[in-house]
Amino acid sequence: MARVAEHAAALDVERIRADFPILRREVHGRPLVYLNSAATTQKPRQVIQALVEFYEQHNANAHRGVDTLGEEATALFEGARAKLAAFVGAPDPACIVFNRGTTESINLVAHAYGRKVLKEGDEVLLTQMEHHSNMIPWLLLAQATGATVRHLPIREDGTLELDALGSFLTHRTKIFSVTGMSNVLGTIPPLRRLADAAHAAGAVLVVDGAQLVPHLPVDVVDLDVDFLTVSGHKMLGPTASGGLYGRRELLEQMDPFMGGGEMIREVYWDRATWADVPWKFEAGTMNIAQEVGLAAAIDYLGALGMENVRAHEERITAYAMERLLDAGARIFGPTDPSVRSGAISFWFKDIHPHDLATVLDQEGVAIRAGHHCAQPLMRVLGVPATARASFYIYNTPDEVDALIDALRVAERLFRTA
Ligand code: PMP
């Protein structure tokens, strides 16, 4: 890890890239240009090695035995919890519930908190730029409780219509759940302001941190959020790593989400009592190796410094937006790189995004095309889909150039088609 720290300040991208074995491969005979980190990031060898080492040296079930391996696995798993807590500024590792990431975390809050507090006539407030995973759990909850789901509109520029907040966030709102960073528009909402407004209305603020946590320094105490989700696979960690930060008093009041082994204290034929938080929410054998891998990812990002990660992304986003606009692309979302992320959705020369992504893939350039799990937002934007290039610590300006070159290939192809 010291090696990373040495070049952290400058974010020496060439040296970072050397840590990512997959970035050395070719696709269709071209060097891979991976511009799809908003879907999932690539993994450095330090994370891959942590998984290998866990399985080769320490593999056992956590919290199950007093044997040496069992104790090592438990210590590594709980150590990962402390690392994730520190990474998001949580005051106590007990505020971190491990699970597969954002989707599972929002379902957990909807079931274990939402079902407890919502009744008919109550409201859950979302925004128009939410991912389906911050919509469907609330729709299911509304169906079960008789509550209503509302959506704060967005403005033309892809930012939230904050002037309307007062009419959407009322005494009926019990839960306000918002993305910390839009996976389509790149928008970063003013979370502290939203938390203050939610609390003044008597609601809790849930933040979908899937895109936020990997890209910016985050402190749950400063932001005063009640729940924050973390998707480990979008921040160099293994798939199915991550979890949920919850304010401790809330986690303690909540019912369990899933029942099974290890989430109990005492079980009788007809009743049971629950383990302390966070284990009350961790039924069955957990994603132990994945969370241990996430701890290595957090070490890696921590050594780089999240301010440096953000600064690098802002620079590359500025360059990519400039080149995309020059090339004739229409960009969705805020145009100022300092208030948005490096997930850039665009529409290019009336070429359907799926066709575009297919041609780009032939050129070695991986982007995402589709509705990005945000179908209602696509309707607001008036397009069936968008193309999306998204950037992370290992992307270079040369790769932006490769994207533009590949777009020109697509343009020529479709002009003559
Ligand atoms: N919310 C947003 C904003 C996302 O970008 C994603 C991932 N595409 C999710 C939620 C779902 O996260 P996960 O894959 O961890 O369930």
Side-chain angles (χ1 to χ4, degrees), residues 347 352-354 370-372 374-375 378-379 381-386:
W347 184 267
H352 192 285
H354 284 134
H371 53 62
H372 313 288
Q375 287 182 4
M378 293 295 121
R379 287 184 205 111
L381 299 176
V383 287
T386 73

Side-chain angles (χ1 to χ4, degrees), residues 38 100-103 131 133 179 181 183 208 210-211 231 233-234:
R100 288 186 301 126
T102 292
T103 303
H131 187 282
S133 68
T179 185
M181 185 182 268
N183 63 315
D208 168 350
Q211 300 291 340
S231 296
H233 72 100
K234 293 187 200 285

